Every structure is written in C-alpha cells, then in structure tokens.
Amino acid sequence: MNAPVPLASAHNRFARVVLSKPSITDLELRYVGDAAANAWGESCYQWINRFEAAFARYVGVKYAVATSSGTGALHLGLMALGLKPGDEVILADTNWIATVAPITYVGAKPVFVDIDPDTWCLDVAQVRQSIGPRTRAVIATHLYGNACDMDALRSLCSDTGLALIEDAAEALGTTWHGQMVGSMGAFGIFSFHGSKTITTGEGGMWVSDDAGLYAAVRQINNHGRAIGDGRQFWPERIGLKYRMSDLQAAMGCAQLERIDFILEKKRAVLARYREALAGIDSVRLNPEPHWVRHGAWMPNVVFDARLDLTHAQMFDAFREANIDARPFFWPLTHLGLFGTEARFDTWAWKIQQHSVNLPSFVDMREDEMDRVIDVIYSLTEQGGA
Ligand SMILES: *Cc1c(COP(=O)(O)O)cnc(C)c1O
C-alpha cells in the first residue's frame, strides 16, 4: 500500500496505539515549575522530603528514600543488608534485568527459580528447594502488577532467616489481603521510570519499616557520610550517590496526589480487556485472585499453547493494526549472562512463548482498547486449536 502514513490525530482510527505513556497535567507542570524556580539553597530538599513522606504514608511504611532509579534503590538495599561476594540471592527466572543486575553489583550470585503459572511470580516450592548455606535473601518481583504469594514467602523467609525483598517496581497500588505490596518484606523498591504507573522521568523509591536498614541506606546514598555527623564532608565508608532531585520529587508529589485517578483508569483498561475476553477459553490475562487488588500496570495476554501461535504471527498482527505490543520478559537464564543453561521445560519459557504485553495508559480511549481486543480475537481464530 502506498497511502501515506496517517497523522496521529486524536480520533484517527489508524493512529498508533502506544504501549504506555504517563498522565501529565497542569498540576505536574505547576509543581515542577515551582521546584525549578524555588527549590534551591535553604529550600533544597523540600520536595524530596515531601515526596518521601507522602509515599511512605501511601504504601504504609515508616521509611522511604527517593532515589535516581528503581535499580539504584535495589542496589542500595542490597548493600545495606551487607551482601557480599559468595552470598546467594534467589529470584524468579522471569524478570526484568534491573532485578538481577544489582545482585551482581555487590558480587553476590543470583539463583534462578521458575515461575508459578498461577501468579507468573516466583514458585515458592522451588524457592524452598533452592535454599542453601550461602543463601541470604529472596527477591519477590510482583510481575506486571500481579502479586507474589506473600503469605508463603513471608513464612518461608522468617523460618529460614532470609531477607525477603520486594521488587514492586511494576506494582504500585497492588494489594495483598489489603496490604500494599512493597511494604511487607525487609525492604521494597519502586520505579518511576516513564513507563511505570507514576513517573518522575527517571526515579525510584526504597521503602522499609526497619530503622537500622533505613539508617544504612541513608548513609550509603549520601556517599557514606552519616546523617547528622557534625564533621562536614567526612565519609565513613565508600557509598553510592543515587539521589533524586527536587525537580523530580516535585513531579512525583503531583503524580502521587493523582494516584487514585491513575489507578482507576489503569484498572478500567484491564477490566475492559477482561470483560471482552471472558468468553474465550484460549486466552488468559493477568491472574487476579480475590485476595489481590491488581495495580494493572501492564495487561498481558497469554494464548493457549494449543493455538500454536508463533511470535511472528502474534507481533505481525499487532503491527498491522498499528498497535505497539511487546514480548513478555525473556527468561534471564536464556541471556547467557549468568553462566546458566537455557531450559525449555519451564513456565518462564512456555509463558514467554505465548504472551504479548498489551497497551495500557490513563488516557486510552475505548476505541483503542477495542482495536487491541479485535487483534486478540483474530489471533484466536487463526490458531490451530
Ligand atoms: C522498571 C523495573 C525496575 C527498575 O527500574 P528503573 O528503570 O531502574 O527505575 C526494577 N524491577 C522491575 C521488575 C522493573 O520493571
């Protein structure tokens, strides 16, 4: 077809449907403008302090430390735990690289377990089997806003003396029996990358109820200088400097004030997909048992293996409809970065092969959602089942 690519006007039915984009209003612009004009000198840190306090209150923890990224928040927490070379940390094979990379930064060894097909998060029975004399911590990633089995993980980690770490970068607003994910372990981390539920451009948050870990994270993130140390410029150890700026924190304050609205819209997108696909046996969306309230960060469709759809078939169909759809995370053991052998008999691989990340953003219109649903319908009809 030689027709010119149509321009993206608001109601052009061929306009590109992006995977995600943040919701930015006058409130964000006002706060960031205020920070840019005023948050210097005596007033520096005022937005950071406000963002940390508001975030801690929202998640239901005592302490929060704003950081330059979610990756940085995880690195800080692992250093504060005192992890060192030779220590082992258990995590799910299905994960973004940001979850495993900080384990290697402190010289520890990642130990991968398969995911549970009911949660797409780490399989707790396999976590139990992987615990050895060098195991120090478990990182539970609440993948795509789904919740890990926190009851089983908490009792396993407390019985075995392991630190339970929650990677809630994708799960702001997800609750487990009414409790916010990220608030239930030794510490939790969140991300405010532009693709996440709320954004500060780049940014993250470290949260905990543990006063000792909090003091350690504050000191490490201050280039090793103890908070309140009267000697100026006197680091006691080599630390890190992964701090958030006031400009970013001002944006975070505005986003957090709007979190209920943002979550309502995100959940409405997932709900519309769910309703439209409820009658089709050969597709599944993110699991959401009745004890979980889903943060709906990223809807993901899993096609039944019997449809025998290839990645090419799935992604071509979305591309032809001018919809940005992306693959499910590859198993980390397949990357060749960790001295692991790629296995093909795992859920981490099988689900990856049959899944697609679906668009979801606050301003998404119903006709855009319906275009996504139409592609899923057409793929189930193409399949060989
Ligand atoms: C986004 C993300 C992070 C960290 O994100 P940054 O890009 O460093 O802010 C960590 N873990 C998971 C699972 C993520 O999706």
Side-chain angles (χ1 to χ4, degrees):
M1 233 175 64
N2 291 321
V5 176
L7 291 174
S9 77
H11 291 284
N12 186 332
R13 54 189 275 261
F14 300 110
R16 182 141 180 93
V17 180
V18 298
L19 187 73
S20 76
K21 60 182 169 188
S23 165
I24 306 300
T25 64
D26 284 347
L27 188 69
E28 282 80 1
L29 302 185
R30 201 147 51 74
Y31 283 8
V32 174
D34 184 308
N38 303 313
W40 311 105
E42 292 287 282
S43 302
C44 84
Y45 305 138
Q46 66 175 24
W47 286 100
I48 295 173
N49 294 340
R50 179 169 155 185
F51 186 36
E52 289 176 344
F55 197 87
R57 212 176 314 120
Y58 180 71
V59 173
V61 293
K62 289 194 189 133
Y63 310 110
V65 179
T67 58
S68 50
S69 71
T71 310
L74 188 51
H75 187 189
L76 284 163
L78 296 180
M79 262 181 89
L81 281 175
L83 289 193
K84 48 187 191 318
D87 290 341
E88 292 180 357
V89 179
I90 299 172
L91 75 163
D93 196 4
T94 301
N95 250 310
W96 175 225
I97 189 75
T99 308
V100 68
I103 298 173
T104 70
Y105 301 164
V106 296
K109 182 183 168 213
V111 174
F112 300 98
V113 297
D114 199 7
I115 53 173
D116 179 335
D118 291 336
T119 61
W120 310 349
C121 298
L122 76 189
D123 180 321
V124 183
Q126 290 199 25
V127 174
R128 189 186 309 274
Q129 288 158 13
S130 304
I131 297 172
R134 290 163 170 258
T135 310
R136 293 283 315 278
V138 176
I139 302 181
T141 302
H142 301 290
L143 198 80
Y144 298 132
N146 304 350
C148 299
D149 184 347
M150 290 309 292
D151 289 349
L153 284 167
R154 273 192 294 193
S155 67
L156 177 62
C157 289
S158 76
D159 290 351
T160 50
L162 300 178
L164 176 57
I165 298 164
E166 290 182 270
D167 180 342
E170 304 181 353
L172 181 59
T174 293
T175 63
W176 170 268
H177 291 289
Q179 229 178 322
M180 290 276 180
V181 302
S183 69
M184 290 177 266
F187 70 84
I189 67 109
F190 292 87
S191 168
F192 311 126
H193 177 260
S195 62
K196 298 288 161 66
T197 303
I198 67 170
T199 187
T200 59
E202 293 279 0
M205 193 72 83
W206 181 93
V207 300
S208 180
D209 281 327
D210 185 315
L213 280 181
Y214 172 66
V217 164
R218 277 263 182 248
Q219 177 175 22
I220 294 165
N221 203 22
N222 194 31
H223 265 321
R225 292 173 292 170
I227 302 295
D229 188 333
R231 298 168 295 180
Q232 286 255 306
F233 310 128
W234 191 268
E236 289 174 343
R237 60 182 291 183
I238 299 290
L240 301 168
K241 188 160 177 290
Y242 292 162
R243 295 172 71 159
M244 180 180 275
S245 74
D246 263 305
L247 303 185
Q248 292 166 300
M251 177 117 172
C253 285
Q255 291 266 284
L256 198 56
E257 281 182 30
R258 298 178 52 244
I259 184 76
D260 290 344
F261 171 78
I262 291 170
L263 285 172
E264 181 190 314
K265 292 296 202 174
K266 295 280 288 178
R267 285 173 175 146
V269 174
L270 180 57
R272 189 175 179 92
Y273 289 153
R274 238 188 243 302
E275 201 180 296
L277 300 170
I280 305 185
D281 292 336
S282 54
V283 298
R284 282 198 304 141
L285 292 165
N286 307 49
E288 187 174 10
H290 64 81
W291 55 89
V292 170
R293 183 99 207 272
H294 208 289
W297 173 61
M298 180 150 308
N300 184 85
V301 62
V302 184
F303 292 93
D304 195 306
R306 283 167 302 181
L307 290 173
D308 215 16
L309 292 166
T310 63
H311 269 202
Q313 281 175 302
M314 296 190 298
F315 293 105
D316 285 353
F318 284 101
R319 199 174 303 118
E320 274 159 28
N322 207 11
I323 294 166
D324 189 6
R326 307 263 176 101
F328 194 85
F329 290 127
W330 298 95
L332 293 173
T333 51
H334 285 229
L335 300 179
L337 296 173
F338 307 102
T340 51
E341 214 174 301
R343 283 177 53 179
F344 300 92
D345 58 347
T346 60
W347 289 111
W349 174 253
K350 283 187 273 193
I351 294 180
Q352 200 286 332
Q353 286 300 286
H354 301 292
S355 307
V356 178
N357 291 169
L358 303 175
S360 166
F361 46 92
V362 167
D363 297 327
M364 195 170 184
R365 297 189 317 268
E366 290 188 348
D367 63 288
E368 292 175 311
M369 299 177 214
D370 292 344
R371 280 171 55 193
V372 173
I373 291 161
D374 284 346
V375 173
I376 297 172
Y377 280 144
S378 75
L379 281 166
T380 61
E381 281 157 14
Q382 261 183 54

